[in-house]
Amino acid sequence: MLSKKTHLNLVTALIISGVFSLYVAQMNPSAVLTLIEQEYQINSTVSSFGISVIFLPVILFSMAGPYLQARIGLKRTYALALLLGGLGVAFNVFANSFLMFCLGRVVYGAGFGLSTPFIGAAIMRWYTPLQQVRMDTVNALLPYLGNILVFALTLPLTAVFAGSWKMALAVWGFFSFAVLLFWLLLVPGDAPYAGPSLHRPEKRLYRDLLRRREILLLLIAFVCDFVSFSVITSLLPTYFQRDCGLAIETAHQLTTLFPIAGVAGGLAAYRIMSRTGRRKPLLWSGQALKAVGIALIYQGGVGPLGFTGMVLIGVGNCIWIPPMFVVPMELEGMTPARVGAAFSLITSSGFAGGLAAPVLAGTLSAHTSYGFAIFICIIPCLIGLVACLFIRETGPLAKSAKKAGGPPHPGSNA
């Protein structure tokens, strides 16, 4: 029989690997966007829809997830997320038309949506406060690690499969199936560890969450963040190819600098949070770094300024996400069900913005340039910066000062 610690480590590995595979699949088509356009004889505006079409099912299933989770439990919710996500991605093998490709993306989006409230509730329920900070940091790093694999492995995998980009994308669906099998066989039940119970969500759960200032401000900031993130990650490789005249392989190699910098930013966020006990400085500085980075990319292209801009955008995009996940867990009166719902509410609102952003950016780039479409993303970054400046500090340092009778932290509700 496995010890409690070994069992938790096993569950952690399966959570991270499964959610990671879903993150890889999210933006994977952007690495072969030009090949998809050639395959289905479509333009950049239509092909961008193949990326953003996932956001509607993501929103619907993410928002419904906390209620489904209360009925079937954490284990079955995650299993269903892996099943739907894997099916949608593996469906690429049979996508002989762009419509079928989009249908597969819709099924995948349903699975990805269910994974959002699951991971929020699971982290809140099964891990200690220190472990929560670590898991939230890992969760924040997954999309950036996924993007590294997207731009580093998709084209080589396409070559391995005799030029089939469909098989290169479908690989991650089969990986999800493998994680699902181990999850069903090795995880016996929902609550193998001590922790708060998973209460049924309140009837007015989302309305009550929206009344909490920090949740609302995080929601605004994430909407702005995801609009810029989805546009940049979907258009950056094509920008390097069509605006800067680089070969597709070179464009992908340069684009990996963006998620690599994101990983560095996420790791820095964990170190800063651990040492300072604060969250707010990371929240607003991430938005500022993105705005500066976007301006540098627009001015610098593939020169030193452009490379510096990519690094700043990558760091800024990820350095604020770990505290964004941590803050809801540190608010007063939060339960696993409420945290899972907060994750769903915040991220779903971001995906709502991401639903239209790549399509609009693709249309704008067709009439101007890909570089200008990326430059416009500076506007949501500045809006997100203002929102983060109004978020109060929730970290342990602020709580210690409050217990000691010290002055309230600037921006607090005290």
Side-chain angles (χ1 to χ4, degrees):
M1 184 176 178
L2 296 177
S3 67
K4 181 179 177 180
K5 181 178 180 180
T6 302
H7 197 182
L8 181 60
N9 289 338
L10 172 63
V11 169
T12 300
L14 291 174
I15 291 174
I16 292 173
S17 58
V19 174
F20 176 67
S21 70
L22 296 178
Y23 270 118
V24 173
Q26 180 182 338
M27 299 304 295
N28 212 8
S30 64
V32 289
L33 209 56
T34 54
L35 300 180
I36 293 174
E37 292 171 7
Q38 294 169 11
E39 173 86 14
Y40 297 125
Q41 296 297 301
I42 55 179
N43 58 34
S44 59
T45 301
V46 178
S47 65
S48 295
F49 179 74
I51 296 176
S52 60
V53 70
I54 69 169
F55 296 134
L56 183 57
V58 167
I59 293 168
L60 294 176
F61 280 80
S62 181
M63 296 293 283
Y67 297 95
L68 176 66
Q69 198 162 256
R71 289 180 175 274
I72 68 175
L74 287 174
K75 178 182 178 179
R76 292 188 182 94
T77 299
Y78 187 44
L80 186 58
L82 292 172
L83 177 62
L84 292 175
L87 284 174
V89 177
F91 191 71
N92 278 293
V93 177
F94 309 100
N96 55 18
S97 70
F98 186 66
L99 176 60
M100 292 184 67
F101 173 79
C102 289
L103 288 175
R105 295 283 287 170
V106 168
V107 175
Y108 155 77
F112 185 89
L114 289 177
S115 72
T116 301
F118 161 77
I119 196 166
I123 292 174
M124 183 69 172
R125 184 183 184 191
W126 291 339
Y127 297 88
T128 66
L130 179 59
Q131 292 171 336
Q132 288 170 8
V133 174
R134 292 173 182 168
M135 285 295 292
D136 284 329
T137 301
V138 172
N139 190 28
L141 290 174
L142 292 182
Y144 298 90
L145 293 170
N147 270 323
I148 292 174
L149 289 190
V150 163
F151 295 114
L153 292 184
T154 304
L155 285 180
L157 281 176
T158 301
V160 168
F161 292 114
S164 174
W165 60 265
K166 296 178 182 179
M167 281 298 302
L169 300 186
V171 162
W172 298 102
F174 300 121
F175 184 87
S176 295
F177 292 152
V179 176
L180 171 61
L181 179 62
F182 284 112
W183 180 258
L184 293 175
L185 292 177
L186 300 179
V187 179
D190 252 11
Y193 327 107
S197 61
L198 188 66
H199 299 294
R200 184 177 297 278
E202 302 94 325
K203 291 182 179 180
R204 299 175 179 177
L205 176 62
Y206 290 118
R207 189 197 68 173
D208 292 341
L209 287 173
L210 281 172
R211 289 181 172 179
R212 308 194 70 155
R213 189 181 71 173
E214 277 61 47
I215 299 295
L216 180 59
L217 291 171
L218 288 174
L219 183 154
I220 293 171
F222 188 74
V223 169
C224 296
D225 174 84
F226 200 81
V227 166
S228 61
F229 175 81
S230 59
V231 170
I232 291 170
T233 52
S234 62
L235 294 187
L236 200 57
T238 314
Y239 162 69
F240 286 137
Q241 293 173 61
R242 294 183 176 169
D243 285 15
C244 303
L246 300 181
I248 185 173
E249 293 82 6
T250 306
H252 285 186
Q253 291 170 1
L254 287 178
T255 305
T256 58
L257 185 60
F258 169 68
I260 288 173
V263 172
L267 294 174
Y270 173 73
R271 188 173 183 85
I272 292 170
M273 283 193 294
S274 299
R275 289 198 168 192
T276 67
R278 296 188 181 276
R279 320 302 187 210
K280 182 175 179 176
L282 294 170
L283 293 172
W284 66 260
S285 62
Q287 319 307 317
L289 288 173
K290 288 184 293 181
V292 174
I294 289 170
L296 291 179
I297 284 183
Y298 183 65
Q299 291 294 325
V302 292
L305 281 179
F307 296 153
T308 302
M310 275 195 293
V311 171
L312 291 180
I313 294 174
V315 172
N317 256 291
C318 193
I319 201 170
W320 84 284
I321 299 295
M324 185 198 79
F325 287 142
V326 171
V327 167
M329 297 183 178
E330 294 178 332
L331 295 175
E332 300 82 358
M334 293 298 282
T335 64
R338 290 173 184 169
V339 169
F343 275 33
S344 295
L345 181 62
I346 293 169
T347 56
S348 293
S349 300
F351 293 144
L355 179 64
V359 176
L360 293 175
T363 303
L364 180 62
S365 64
H367 292 86
T368 56
S369 67
Y370 285 89
F372 185 74
I374 291 174
F375 178 72
I376 291 296
C377 293
I378 202 169
I379 297 174
C381 291
L382 294 177
I383 296 173
L385 171 61
V386 174
C388 288
L389 288 173
F390 283 95
I391 295 176
R392 68 183 168 101
E393 181 61 68
T394 63
L397 191 61
K399 294 177 181 178
S400 298
K402 187 175 181 179
K403 288 181 180 179
H409 189 274
S412 72
N413 289 331

